[in-house]
Amino acid sequence: MEIDDPIAHGFDAARLARIDAFVKTRYLDSGKLPHAQLLLARDGRIVHFSHQGAAREGGAAVDESTLFRIASMTKPITSLAFMMLVEEGLVALDTPVHHVLPELKGVGVYAGGGGGVPFVTRPTAQPMRMVDLLRHTSGLTYSFQNRTNVDAAYREGRIESWHGNLTLDEFVAALGRLPLEFSPGEEWNYSVSTDVLGAVVARVSGLSLDQFFVERIFAPLGMRDTFFQVPEDKIHRLSDCWTMQEGNGRVLYDRGEASAWSRFPKLVSGGGGLVSTALDYHRFNTMLLNRGVLDGVRIVSPKTIDLMTTNHLPGGSDLAAMSRALFSEATNAGTGFGLGFAINLDVAKTLIPGSTGEFYWGGMFSTAFFVDPVERISMVFMTQFSPSMLYPIRRELKTLIYSALTR
């Protein structure tokens, strides 16, 4: 791995250094985060790669080989997998989901019931389409939303448990027995949509989702450290993961040496199941920045990346107008949603530096990435702490990164 001179790529080295000092003082010394890793690149060339804190409790420091649970940063990879099948003419964005997943045919919209009372539903105004899965306008939800009788039914059935009783196909069937929260296309709600999309990829391709990822994305891109199950000979590289517990502060959620990610999940989650490294995700980012190609290997066409990174919310709306989610990886003002990413539509409304057309997302353990095709900048931030919305570190990092830009 080579790190280029940041000055040659238009960054002030002293201002980049103050990012690490800020993270150390604000988040590590205070005990808010267990560790932090930041990779910054321009034109695909790494110009800053810093590591702070211990990967495991009482262990060695985070380094370039450390493995992190990337959670919802899995979603763009699943979305890309689907678009590869679109390019092959095997499925389309306007294909009704039930054409591939008949378990979802006839699913209705919540009109009453729940909490021990049978659900009452009404027909959808239009069928759920593949584009609804990609942009989270499907009417599906997440169990952790804790807002409605529908998400309560998700929790009761434990249908999102990766090591529970349901396979990916059984998970889809379980969703088909529950109502939607709204008619597809009418609202935006962060949800299991991308997990359902993973089932679509498997059905259409004839490969399991993990096989598709390895054969069609990870191997061609040289992403050798990205997987649903950490191999036995790499488990020593997996960091500990922490969570905030009311009354107890930061507590250990998943110990690296005995991690749940050391076992293959029964439910393969295209919405959040992957483990990766900053260097691997940097390769994915660079392929996106290059509009579908990396090191001479083309994954999708430039026009497919353009389509994915365009706002697809109905009527050109933004999340502030369409979102009903209590939990979101995005700040809503000035933010649209494409096919797997949030899209910066209006820099002024975000109230932080950036570029129109920048796309990004993050994971529940506070990981994050962004790609700015205007300035040709990409970033990967890794840590292991939930919930991700507790601290504003993603916005702070963006502000500090752009403040270090000189040209």
Side-chain angles (χ1 to χ4, degrees), residues 38 52 58 78 202 255 282 311 362 378:
L38 177 66
Q52 300 187 76
T78 305
R255 192 177 297 278
H282 163 64
N311 182 30
S378 62

Side-chain angles (χ1 to χ4, degrees), residues 142-164:
Y142 262 131
S143 62
F144 52 69
Q145 296 273 9
N146 289 303
R147 186 184 64 246
T148 69
N149 285 346
V150 178
D151 63 57
Y154 281 41
R155 290 192 298 278
E156 183 180 354
R158 298 185 69 247
I159 65 172
E160 298 165 40
S161 175
W162 300 345
H163 293 283

